[in-house]
Amino acid sequence: TPAGESVLVDSGWQRDDARDAKRILEAARQAGLKRIDHLLTTHFHRDHFGGLGELARLIPIARFYDHGRMTELAEDRQNFPKLNEAYLAASKGQSQALRPGQEIRLKRATGSGPLRLQVVASNAEALQRAGPDNPECKDAQLQKDDPTDNARSLGFVLSFGKFRFLD
């Protein structure tokens, strides 16, 4: 951020060679970072949070956010328990479950424009839409409900001045 805070979304795969964790560390070093201030775990599939244990051994992580802790993951009974242990160890059990409408407070640099990170979806809930229907979507077919953790993912809007990033 303009005030020097770091925000990381997801920690990648767990791999024997710690590839994703090392790539994140290298990007952090290139940005002059000594720690990750805010880690958002969108959901608990291993390609999104599997690398956390490795990453936490390489660089300090100050705050952990997610859609709410889980004790099991039906679609990944084999890997989830070990990866969940690593998440709990790295976060010291202190992750914050975010809800739609909440904001993660980011420091504002003197003289910079407004900076905002607002949660728009979490744990299968979303902010209610505002505005007119999109005419391009009038014939869109709704998809069946997703029973996996994908449907519980964190979604957020990061805005800085006129810039908007939706994830």
Side-chain angles (χ1 to χ4, degrees):
T1 68
E5 281 188 296
S6 57
V7 178
L8 175 64
V9 179
D10 291 335
S11 52
W13 286 91
Q14 176 195 30
R15 293 174 48 113
D16 291 338
D17 63 359
R19 181 197 71 182
D20 289 357
K22 289 176 182 175
R23 289 168 63 182
I24 293 167
L25 176 64
E26 181 57 28
R29 285 184 175 155
Q30 287 180 18
L33 302 174
K34 304 261 189 260
R35 72 177 190 169
I36 303 297
D37 293 301
H38 305 275
L39 171 65
L40 283 75
T41 297
T42 57
H43 63 289
F44 296 107
H45 285 156
R46 61 188 177 143
D47 57 327
H48 290 262
F49 93 121
L52 177 62
E54 297 156 347
L55 182 64
R57 285 188 283 280
L58 298 175
I59 188 169
I61 304 169
R63 290 174 214 74
F64 296 77
Y65 306 90
D66 54 52
H67 66 58
R69 296 300 308 133
M70 300 173 62
T71 56
E72 64 179 31
L73 188 65
E75 61 263 29
D76 191 6
R77 293 183 197 282
Q78 180 179 354
N79 297 295
F80 179 79
K82 180 180 173 188
L83 298 176
N84 190 46
E85 275 183 42
Y87 186 91
L88 291 172
S91 68
K92 298 177 180 65
Q94 298 299 309
S95 63
Q96 180 180 346
L98 297 171
R99 296 290 165 250
Q102 284 185 294
E103 288 190 30
I104 294 176
R105 293 198 178 269
L106 301 172
K107 293 177 187 171
R108 186 171 174 182
T110 304
S112 73
L115 178 65
R116 185 175 186 207
L117 197 158
Q118 182 183 31
V119 178
V120 296
S122 179
N123 204 24
E125 296 176 15
L127 287 180
Q128 297 300 313
R129 69 175 180 87
D133 288 344
N134 183 339
E136 297 298 322
C137 298
K138 67 179 171 32
D139 297 323
Q141 298 296 313
L142 291 178
Q143 299 293 313
K144 292 180 183 177
D145 285 344
D146 182 350
T148 72
D149 203 38
N150 287 323
R152 291 183 288 276
S153 289
L154 280 181
F156 62 89
V157 175
L158 176 66
S159 56
F160 179 58
K162 292 183 179 184
F163 174 79
R164 302 281 183 278
F165 173 73
L166 171 67
D167 184 12

